[in-house]
Amino acid sequence: MIKFMLMVNRQGQTRLSRYYTPVELSRRAVLEADVVRCCLTRKKDQCSFVEYKDFKLIYRQYAALYIVVGVTDSENELSVYELVHNFVEVLDKYFSRVVSLDIMFNLDRVHIILDEMIQNGHIVETNKSRVLAPLTALDKMADS
Amino acid sequence: MALKIVKGSIDRMFDKNLQDLVRGIRNHKEDEAKYISTCIDEIKQELKQDNIAVKANAVCKLTYLQMLGYDVSWAAFNIVEVMSSSKFTYKRIGYLAASQCFHESTDVIMLTTNQIRKDLSSPNQYDTGVALTGLSCFVTPDLARDLANDIMTLMSHTKPYIRKKAVLIMYKVFLKYPESLRPAFPRLKEKLEDPDPGVQSAAVNVICELARRNPKNYLSLAPLFFKLMTSSTNNWVLIKIIKLFGALTPLEPRLGKKLIEPLTNLIHSTSAMSLLYECVNTVYIDVNTPPLPSLSLSLCLYLSLPPQLCVQKLRILIEDSDQNLKYLGLLAMSKILKTHPKSVQSHKDLILQCLDDKDESIRLRALDLLYGMVSKKNLMEIVKKLMLHVDKAEGTTYRDELLTKIIDICSQSNYQYITNFEWYISILVELTRLEGTRHGHLIASQMLDVAIRVKAIRGFAVAQMATLLDNAHLLTGNMQRMGICEVLYAAAWICGEFSEHLENPMQTLEAMLRPKVATLPGHIQAVYVQNAAKLFATVLKSQEGNTDSTAAQETSQLMIDRLPLFVQSANLEVQERASCILQLVKYIQKLQQKDVEVAEEVSALFAGELNPVAPKAQKKVPVPEGLDLDSWINEPPSESESEDEQPKAIFAKEEPKHSRPRREEVDEKELAKRREARKQEQANNPFYIKASPSSQKVYQEAPGVEHIPVVQIDLSVPLKVPGLPMSDQYVKLEEERRQKERAEKKKKEKKKRKEKRSGRGKKHDSGPESEEDITPAHQVDIVTEEMPEKSSKHKKKKQKKEKEEKEKKKKKKHHHHHHHSDGGGEEAVQNGTVEEEEPLLTSLKNKSSTYQVVVSVIFENKCDSFLKSMEFNVLDSLNSKLQRPEGSGPHDGLTVPFQLPPGVSNEARFVFTVQSIIMPQKLKGTLTFIVKDSSTHEKLDFKLHFTCTSYLITTPCYSDAFAKLLESGDLKCSSVRLEGVNMPFHHLLARICFHHHFSVVERIDSCASMYSRSIQGHHVCLLVKVTVSIDAKCDEPTLLGNVLDEIKQTFSQC
């Protein structure tokens, strides 16, 4: 299962974090810093999976933004790898050409999207329009 | 009141919202912490206001700060307030904050139960949705119990969105409140067949996860999932289902049989690598791993070619240029290795390749695999490769990993795969040169182990260790190398213990007593001191034999001079040993001065051979006569009384007094009873190592320690290697040795076969690999019960024979082939009259940007005479020239490299250099040849027609690139009308594509755009209309004109 999902920039600053297993706040900062260091130090020609302590990290880089997902051993690495891209595609569709500022300024919306796609630490929805449906409905509601 | 509202909204205008906060943090890079603390103060103020909008805004900002790592638990109550807002936009913020900040121990959660229940039953589906989503993050056992019913009803909600969310949250509810599972399950099962795909996949998700926790209870759902698997197209869902089957199949082997077909289909057909990986990974691996090996075996039988298919697919993954796939392939491969080592072993080359990969994670995975792939045959080769990597490796972690792997690989199962221990010792010594490794102790323990257990290697090992000790300063030179100095522990011990093998014990003794030694860690110094004493004994022994007694005294003096350094050591062990030995040596010196021979007595201090002992050897030692293991040596303390007696002892104090005399007079019966009881107890105690009765019996008859099996070894390789050894040389040596052995074996084999033909009693088939034939040069004292069996030799022989036979066949075929062609040459001698030959211009190909054009010409002999000595010649033009070999004149012909029997055609290629391609060219040429028998030169004229079309290459072009090209304005325009063409439009297009090397860019109803490019990079664009007019654009008008003319000609011919 998915333990957490992080979005960090190249400086290692967290842009989004979502934990699916409870982690104490004090430990989060250490974990995030450590995880980010693991991923940022890797070169482009290295594979996107890192064994980290007793679980695995799967990361993908989009411009200056890294998305890092921590998963348990039983998770299919490739499917999570694809999910990350799927997630970015959904963001791209919603924000039409997403940039990292979009994510910072609309943190709550990104969370809604993420919640549609991952729940209880499992991938639950990957269909773009179904993921975005509730959010667009909400936006309409807010406008009126 | 109204004023208050107005005031509130004015305040709000000046409040920071999330965007402002984010911007502010970005603008205060230097004093971020300070800025944030002021923000938090502001937020605290905002939270004190009554206006819910202000509060929501504040909570929203808090969520962001929480993400940055700030503790916001103090605002928990405010979050609950915002959650209970009636306005959805605020409620959403509240729930988001709760899902980020709340956890099971947050106490305000119990305040939320009613609010959440209200939201769940809200008429607005988004209220319900947001409550469900939030709940999944912070549900507690209490919440789960209280809300289980509400959520269960939502599973049948009219809105698919709510149904989906409810199904998903049920999973969390089940985890927190397992009692809810039973009543909810039927409804959950229904959802597997929900009309909405989202709900369906949610149900699959939940059930798969539940089933993986406890597969037994979900077997009945297998048919349903089977149906889903064959019908679903969602890869993510398929992965889940396959994972589920991975868990179910071990419980129901019949499932495996059913799964073969759909799974094999999936493996063959899917384009999704993730799915393929899952298929290979889960089903073949999870199912095949213990605890159900027998089931996995039967599954293998069902799946007629499973491991091979799997491994092949994995090979594709590993060979892929995508590093991710490579990594996963190796990962899965290592899982298969556990169950099907053979099928993986054949891919050794590939795994070794991966060791060269740029990516460390991939190299580590490959290393893991290597462990399971070594054999006697390839061990040296693999280790050699690894050693190369050790030299190259950057970064100590990877190097350390390599080091441990090398040792693991070599030492696995009692050095099973090592055939030459000199080689192994050299490897270990080479490894000590590593800088900054943490694994010195590992190398040391290997050195000790090998030196102790392989007797034949001791001489060699001691020589190596002495060199190490001599060069100890290299090992301990700087702090970085502290890890490796552990090796000196082993070196000192080996040199001391087996000092009789030392070439120059005096030198080693001096090396061990150097002042520098005092900088080593204490435990190593202790070994140094102790073993210096052993060495001293050996040295004395050799020196006393000589007539000159001063040498011996000098040695003692050396000890007395150097040891005080160790006596001062802070380490107790070192101090103790040093002072003890110092006194001993002083005493010895005293005796020496009185001319007393002491060497014998000194060496008696360390006498006694150290033999390896098997872990179970003790039980093989017979019980000496007169020793009764069952009688008490000491009276047992009263605790050992049986427990139910104890309370009595507490209440009646006199009891112990009485019990003692009673025990003294225990009779034989009582003893037997106790013996029985103890045996019973031992049998029940899992930690008690039991003696197997059979082995005891066997050894009872043959008493004596000599019967501990110790293997005797004779050594075939000369031992002396000067200096530090290079392990590589052993690889060569080993090759030679094996060759020799093989030769010998063959001889023996022949003999044996003759002898054995009559009675072939035993058939060993335990060692399945032919590699077992390699006998080790040294043997380890493996003192386990069974010695490894030498496997069947017949098998190998057979294989070899087969191979030979195959090879022969191949040769024959080959030969046959030759013969045939030769014969063909001889056959076709026949007289004929006139010959006809047709050079066909088949194709023009550009070779590179130098505008070389290759013309392939097909020569066909249509007459019935044999043609030979053909020469091909072309009159060069300024523009196009035939390329002739160096040294030949500009008018020389080229020899056609074959002869032509009648009716046969063959192709020859000629290279032309072309300068300009915008004009078509016609080259005149001649072909001269000799008709066999008539032996006169004949001549045939021909023309080579280089059309402009032939310089075009079909190049695909995207419509947007095409549009850009047209817009650029660099292209010249031209158009042409084709008269009298009546063929379907698509035929027309196809014709242009085929004959003139165009590709269709886009076709819209009655017109189509086409594109091609010349070998010199001219763009040619056509717009073909159904009225058969062609508008064309090209950056070279002459070329365009010519191409259009050629197109026109093509269509005028039909």
Side-chain angles (χ1 to χ4, degrees):
Chain A
M1 79 174 262
I2 297 171
K3 292 174 90 120
F4 58 80
M5 177 150 185
L6 295 177
M7 284 172 120
V8 288
N9 67 3
R10 206 172 274 156
Q11 285 78 45
Q13 289 160 322
T14 313
R15 290 286 169 251
L16 177 122
S17 69
R18 191 72 152 143
Y19 287 82
Y20 297 97
T21 49
V23 176
E24 271 174 50
L25 195 67
S26 54
R27 282 222 222 108
R28 284 188 193 188
V30 183
L31 177 80
E32 281 169 27
D34 212 24
V35 159
V36 168
R37 192 159 11 87
C38 266
C39 299
L40 291 189
T41 50
R42 291 176 68 84
K43 295 187 202 85
K44 278 225 166 114
D45 54 14
Q46 296 190 301
C47 72
S48 310
F49 312 122
V50 190
E51 280 154 57
Y52 178 84
K53 294 187 180 163
D54 56 339
F55 56 98
K56 277 190 191 142
L57 303 175
I58 294 157
Y59 70 93
R60 261 186 124 140
Q61 187 188 354
Y62 293 90
L65 199 67
Y66 283 78
I67 299 184
V68 188
V69 188
V71 300
T72 54
D73 252 353
S74 61
E75 193 65 52
N76 181 323
E77 292 90 341
L78 271 183
S79 74
V80 175
Y81 185 70
E82 294 299 327
L83 173 84
V84 170
H85 191 66
N86 192 280
F87 174 56
V88 173
E89 277 179 353
V90 173
L91 290 180
D92 210 45
K93 191 174 171 189
Y94 180 73
F95 292 110
S96 52
R97 302 210 78 101
V98 65
V99 293
S100 66
L101 270 186
D102 283 329
I103 294 167
M104 291 166 75
F105 288 161
N106 299 287
L107 199 63
D108 49 341
R109 289 190 169 77
V110 179
H111 269 293
I112 293 176
I113 292 177
L114 194 58
D115 284 342
E116 290 298 318
M117 297 181 73
I118 305 176
Q119 201 153 61
N120 312 328
H122 296 292
I123 304 170
V124 293
E125 187 59 85
T126 50
N127 182 311
K128 272 177 223 161
S129 45
R130 277 209 293 272
V131 168
L132 286 177
L135 191 55
T136 40
L138 293 184
D139 287 342
K140 262 183 214 149
M141 213 160 73
D143 287 344
S144 59
Chain B
M1 183 67 199
L3 190 74
K4 212 175 175 184
I5 292 172
V6 171
K7 189 174 168 282
S9 55
I10 288 173
D11 274 350
R12 256 181 75 204
M13 278 170 64
F14 298 107
D15 283 344
K16 283 194 195 103
N17 60 13
L18 177 63
Q19 272 89 334
D20 298 328
L21 177 76
V22 172
R23 257 186 224 117
I25 293 176
R26 284 163 71 90
N27 291 337
H28 290 76
K29 283 217 170 87
E30 295 82 36
D31 52 346
E32 194 184 292
K34 198 178 152 204
Y35 177 77
I36 289 178
S37 74
T38 56
C39 284
I40 289 182
D41 287 342
E42 280 170 22
I43 290 170
K44 279 181 179 162
Q45 288 306 317
E46 284 165 23
L47 287 175
K48 279 181 192 150
Q49 296 188 30
D50 290 336
N51 191 325
I52 193 70
V54 178
K55 271 186 186 162
N57 184 38
V59 165
C60 187
K61 288 189 278 184
L62 278 181
T63 317
Y64 184 80
L65 292 177
Q66 195 263 359
M67 186 191 79
L68 294 183
Y70 292 88
D71 181 25
V72 298
S73 55
W74 48 268
F77 187 75
N78 302 103
I79 293 174
V80 176
E81 277 183 313
V82 177
M83 273 165 76
S84 52
S85 156
S86 56
K87 200 164 173 200
F88 178 72
T89 19
Y90 303 148
K91 186 189 290 297
R92 194 184 60 164
I93 291 169
Y95 270 102
L96 174 65
S99 67
Q100 287 285 73
C101 312
F102 287 6
H103 43 89
E104 271 192 34
S105 52
T106 310
D107 39 12
V108 290
I109 283 188
M110 46 189 191
L111 302 177
T112 59
T113 317
N114 278 323
Q115 179 58 42
I116 295 174
R117 180 172 287 146
K118 211 176 104 193
D119 287 335
L120 288 181
S121 54
S122 156
N124 180 346
Q125 64 160 326
Y126 293 108
D127 280 353
T128 319
V130 85
L132 285 171
T133 314
L135 199 55
S136 84
C137 297
F138 56 79
V139 63
T140 60
D142 286 342
L143 276 180
R145 188 193 57 227
D146 296 340
L147 297 173
N149 260 325
D150 303 70
I151 301 170
M152 211 154 81
T153 25
L154 288 179
M155 278 166 70
S156 335
H157 200 272
T158 48
K159 295 264 184 1
Y161 177 69
I162 299 300
R163 286 207 300 275
K164 183 174 98 178
K165 289 267 164 189
V167 167
L168 289 170
I169 182 68
M170 267 329 260
Y171 173 67
K172 264 290 165 70
V173 173
F174 295 148
L175 292 188
K176 300 283 175 191
Y177 179 60
E179 287 88 336
S180 60
L181 180 56
R182 195 169 289 278
F185 192 72
R187 199 170 286 182
L188 184 61
K189 198 176 141 189
E190 269 171 37
K191 297 297 146 204
L192 280 178
E193 290 167 304
D194 196 278
D196 183 83
V199 180
Q200 198 184 44
S201 74
V204 169
N205 230 305
V206 171
I207 293 187
C208 285
E209 285 311 316
L210 289 172
R212 278 173 31 172
R213 285 167 181 260
N214 185 9
K216 213 168 59 223
N217 295 348
Y218 297 85
L219 267 177
S220 60
L221 291 180
L224 200 55
F225 276 104
F226 193 82
K227 211 172 83 190
L228 279 173
M229 183 171 81
T230 42
S231 61
S232 177
T233 51
N234 183 334
N235 285 337
W236 273 282
V237 171
L238 277 175
I239 287 172
K240 285 270 172 208
I241 297 177
I242 292 170
K243 266 200 189 337
L244 172 74
F245 277 124
L248 290 184
T249 320
L251 302 173
E252 178 51 272
R254 279 175 296 175
L255 255 180
K257 202 175 181 178
K258 281 203 108 184
L259 284 173
I260 310 165
E261 201 198 321
L263 278 180
T264 332
N265 281 347
L266 271 179
I267 288 179
H268 282 305
S269 65
T270 184
S271 58
M273 274 302 179
S274 52
L275 184 58
L276 171 66
Y277 176 64
E278 192 60 53
C279 289
V280 174
N281 200 14
T282 304
V283 173
Y284 292 115
I285 293 156
D286 284 359
V287 167
N288 285 342
T289 39
L292 295 156
S294 58
L295 283 183
S296 77
L297 198 73
S298 56
L299 193 74
C300 286
L301 292 178
Y302 291 143
L303 308 169
S304 51
L305 63 162
Q308 284 85 343
L309 175 69
C310 253
V311 175
Q312 269 166 25
K313 280 280 169 185
L314 287 178
R315 196 183 164 103
I316 296 172
L317 289 188
I318 296 172
E319 279 172 340
D320 201 286
S321 58
D322 185 342
Q323 297 285 62
N324 294 331
L325 297 183
K326 195 172 263 185
Y327 172 85
L328 292 177
L330 289 170
L331 195 66
M333 198 80 119
S334 66
K335 290 181 188 164
I336 293 192
L337 183 71
K338 287 180 197 137
T339 49
H340 302 95
K342 282 259 179 64
S343 38
V344 178
Q345 268 159 7
S346 54
H347 300 279
K348 193 189 84 203
D349 54 319
L350 188 65
I351 313 291
L352 280 175
Q353 261 174 39
C354 289
L355 280 183
D356 295 320
D357 202 278
K358 300 161 272 190
D359 189 351
E360 187 178 312
S361 357
I362 288 176
R363 293 197 299 257
L364 288 176
R365 288 274 77 82
L367 270 182
D368 280 351
L369 273 171
L370 276 184
Y371 180 80
M373 299 177 78
V374 287
S375 62
K376 281 183 182 169
K377 257 186 204 157
N378 61 22
L379 176 74
M380 281 187 171
E381 179 201 336
I382 287 180
V383 172
K384 188 180 164 191
K385 188 122 200 234
L386 291 180
M387 289 300 285
L388 282 180
H389 282 279
V390 170
D391 291 340
K392 279 190 290 182
E394 306 145 11
T396 43
T397 32
Y398 178 57
R399 215 167 31 193
D400 276 4
E401 188 66 30
L402 269 171
L403 190 151
T404 40
K405 266 282 133 55
I406 290 177
I407 290 180
D408 273 0
I409 286 174
C410 291
S411 63
Q412 64 176 311
S413 38
N414 269 324
Y415 308 99
Q416 190 190 349
Y417 300 115
I418 295 186
T419 50
N420 186 335
F421 278 95
E422 277 185 34
W423 165 81
Y424 186 45
I425 292 272
S426 324
I427 288 284
L428 289 174
V429 172
E430 271 175 48
L431 284 176
T432 61
R433 292 178 210 155
L434 277 188
E435 263 179 53
T437 177
R438 291 177 289 110
H439 293 299
H441 62 95
L442 198 63
I443 304 177
S445 71
Q446 284 291 298
M447 285 173 169
L448 286 173
D449 199 33
V450 171
I452 296 170
R453 290 170 69 180
V454 189
K455 276 187 194 161
I457 202 67
R458 284 179 192 166
F460 179 78
V462 165
Q464 292 305 318
M465 295 304 124
T467 336
L468 263 186
L469 284 180
D470 233 13
N471 298 319
H473 56 281
L474 295 178
L475 295 178
T476 52
N478 53 33
M479 284 310 285
Q480 269 214 322
R481 313 214 52 180
M482 280 322 264
I484 204 70
C485 66
E486 286 290 328
V487 174
L488 294 175
Y489 177 98
W493 191 88
I494 291 171
C495 284
E497 182 66 27
F498 307 119
S499 50
E500 69 270 18
H501 295 286
L502 268 178
E503 189 96 327
N504 189 350
M506 194 58 206
Q507 190 191 342
T508 312
L509 181 62
E510 266 178 62
M512 279 166 79
L513 292 171
R514 279 183 203 145
K516 206 79 212 269
V517 174
T519 58
L520 290 174
H523 66 285
I524 299 178
Q525 283 185 54
V527 171
Y528 262 73
V529 170
Q530 185 74 17
N531 286 285
K534 290 184 198 168
L535 264 178
F536 173 65
T538 320
V539 172
L540 272 192
K541 213 173 169 186
S542 64
Q543 284 174 337
E544 262 183 16
N546 302 341
T547 43
D548 188 15
S549 63
T550 49
Q553 285 189 27
E554 271 166 24
T555 317
S556 309
Q557 193 53 47
L558 177 78
M559 292 287 280
I560 293 169
D561 289 346
R562 298 283 176 84
L563 278 174
L565 180 68
F566 298 101
V567 176
Q568 295 160 12
S569 170
N571 188 297
L572 281 182
E573 180 93 10
V574 181
Q575 201 187 76
E576 194 178 34
R577 290 189 190 200
S579 56
C580 188
I581 290 166
L582 182 61
Q583 288 312 312
L584 189 71
V585 178
K586 278 182 180 166
Y587 179 68
I588 290 168
Q589 203 188 26
K590 234 183 247 171
L591 289 178
Q592 279 175 331
Q593 281 158 357
K594 289 178 194 161
D595 275 338
V596 182
E597 296 225 331
V598 283
E600 277 304 318
E601 282 166 62
V602 175
S603 47
L605 282 174
F606 306 108
E609 167 97 16
L610 192 75
N611 275 330
V613 176
K616 292 179 187 167
Q618 181 64 42
K619 73 176 179 205
K620 294 178 180 171
V621 179
V623 183
E625 242 174 277
L627 175 67
D628 185 6
L629 288 176
D630 293 313
S631 68
W632 296 110
I633 298 170
N634 290 316
E635 288 303 324
S638 51
E639 283 96 28
S640 72
E641 294 259 353
S642 67
E643 272 176 289
D644 40 0
E645 266 175 343
Q646 263 182 355
K648 264 186 206 166
I650 290 166
F651 290 118
K653 276 180 184 168
E654 311 94 306
E655 271 266 293
K657 268 184 198 168
H658 290 290
S659 67
R660 217 166 249 188
R662 199 184 64 194
R663 206 173 284 133
E664 275 164 19
E665 45 195 66
V666 278
D667 55 351
E668 203 49 37
K669 251 188 190 172
E670 177 70 20
L671 258 180
K673 216 170 118 190
R674 278 194 208 158
R675 201 171 293 160
E676 201 50 47
R678 194 162 63 250
K679 269 189 186 156
Q680 196 64 37
E681 191 195 276
Q682 283 167 359
N684 293 334
N685 185 353
F687 301 108
Y688 187 85
I689 304 161
K690 285 149 227 160
S692 74
S694 61
S695 61
Q696 229 164 7
K697 253 182 212 163
V698 171
Y699 285 95
Q700 220 120 44
E701 291 145 26
V705 190
E706 302 93 294
H707 287 271
I708 301 169
V710 174
V711 182
Q712 296 298 321
I713 299 148
D714 67 326
L715 197 61
S716 58
V717 190
L719 279 184
K720 220 194 116 205
V721 181
L724 285 179
M726 286 305 297
S727 58
D728 289 359
Q729 70 196 47
Y730 291 100
V731 180
K732 258 191 210 161
L733 258 171
E734 184 67 14
E735 291 275 288
E736 286 167 20
R737 194 179 68 84
R738 277 182 200 172
Q739 251 167 13
K740 236 198 227 163
E741 229 163 56
R742 242 173 267 150
E744 272 172 34
K745 206 161 269 167
K746 258 189 194 166
K747 272 187 212 162
K748 271 189 200 164
E749 194 73 16
K750 268 183 193 166
K751 265 189 202 167
K752 257 189 201 165
R753 272 190 138 182
K754 271 182 195 167
E755 290 162 11
K756 265 199 171 178
R757 191 145 287 178
S758 51
R760 204 178 289 157
K762 278 183 198 168
K763 216 179 184 183
H764 306 282
D765 41 10
S766 61
E769 283 148 59
S770 58
E771 70 188 40
E772 289 286 332
D773 277 24
I774 303 165
T775 54
H778 322 277
Q779 263 172 339
V780 201
D781 277 352
I782 306 169
V783 203
T784 46
E785 302 83 334
E786 305 126 309
M787 292 303 295
E789 282 173 81
K790 295 276 168 289
S791 75
S792 59
K793 286 159 190 167
H794 320 290
K795 216 172 175 180
K796 194 192 177 188
K797 187 87 184 181
K798 216 174 170 185
Q799 278 175 356
K800 250 197 184 158
K801 231 184 176 177
E802 267 174 17
K803 223 184 192 175
E804 267 172 21
E805 251 173 27
K806 260 187 202 163
E807 262 171 8
K808 256 190 195 168
K809 260 190 194 165
K810 246 192 206 163
K811 261 192 192 167
K812 243 189 194 169
K813 249 190 191 166
H814 204 62
H815 196 71
H816 194 67
H817 196 70
H818 261 286
H819 189 73
H820 193 77
S821 60
D822 288 350
E826 287 159 13
E827 270 168 37
V829 194
Q830 247 192 27
N831 245 341
T833 44
V834 199
E835 67 301 310
E836 221 184 314
E837 192 142 338
E838 233 189 0
L840 275 173
L841 180 63
T842 50
S843 69
L844 291 171
K845 293 175 194 163
N846 83 311
K847 243 187 162 176
S848 60
S849 52
T850 55
Y851 314 126
Q852 276 189 340
V853 175
V854 180
V855 179
S856 44
V857 183
I858 296 175
F859 298 90
E860 190 183 359
N861 187 354
K862 289 185 173 175
C863 71
D864 13 347
S865 300
F866 193 78
L867 304 180
K868 61 175 190 182
S869 322
M870 293 190 281
E871 253 185 42
F872 178 89
N873 201 359
V874 173
L875 263 178
D876 291 351
S877 71
L878 277 175
N879 193 21
S880 319
K881 291 185 172 69
L882 176 64
Q883 251 189 9
R884 298 177 166 87
E886 268 181 16
S888 52
H891 305 297
D892 291 352
L894 290 178
T895 319
V896 181
F898 48 78
Q899 303 178 320
L900 279 181
V904 173
S905 66
N906 205 343
E907 181 190 2
R909 292 181 174 201
F910 302 94
V911 182
F912 288 80
T913 48
V914 182
Q915 278 179 347
S916 161
I917 59 157
I918 56 170
M919 296 276 278
Q921 298 262 332
K922 270 184 189 161
L923 292 183
K924 276 187 184 168
T926 48
L927 183 79
T928 54
F929 51 89
I930 296 174
V931 180
K932 209 165 183 179
D933 297 330
S934 72
S935 72
T936 50
H937 276 271
E938 300 282 350
K939 208 175 106 189
L940 187 74
D941 289 330
F942 60 83
K943 277 178 187 168
L944 278 177
H945 193 186
F946 288 18
T947 58
C948 280
T949 297
S950 50
Y951 298 121
L952 297 181
I953 317 162
T954 318
T955 320
C957 180
Y958 294 109
S959 51
D960 44 356
F962 188 78
K964 241 179 223 164
L965 203 61
L966 291 182
E967 279 164 17
S968 68
D970 298 336
L971 306 184
K972 309 288 181 303
C973 202
S974 176
S975 65
V976 71
R977 272 193 82 80
L978 301 178
E979 302 294 344
V981 177
N982 42 2
M983 58 172 75
F985 191 49
H986 62 275
H987 280 191
L988 182 100
L989 293 181
R991 217 167 249 263
I992 297 175
C993 285
F994 179 77
H995 289 287
H996 299 282
H997 312 160
F998 278 86
S999 62
V1000 179
V1001 177
E1002 212 173 12
R1003 190 188 153 180
I1004 306 155
D1005 299 329
S1006 56
C1007 60
S1009 48
M1010 304 180 88
Y1011 176 77
S1012 185
R1013 217 170 68 175
S1014 78
I1015 56 172
Q1016 290 182 351
H1018 305 288
H1019 302 284
V1020 188
C1021 307
L1022 301 184
L1023 183 68
V1024 187
K1025 289 181 184 149
V1026 80
T1027 52
V1028 207
S1029 70
I1030 300 177
D1031 293 316
K1033 279 187 172 182
C1034 177
D1035 37 13
E1036 182 53 62
T1038 338
L1039 176 70
L1040 182 62
N1042 288 320
V1043 170
L1044 287 181
D1045 283 348
E1046 281 164 27
I1047 293 178
K1048 210 169 169 182
Q1049 209 175 358
T1050 312
F1051 287 98
S1052 66
Q1053 279 166 3
C1054 56

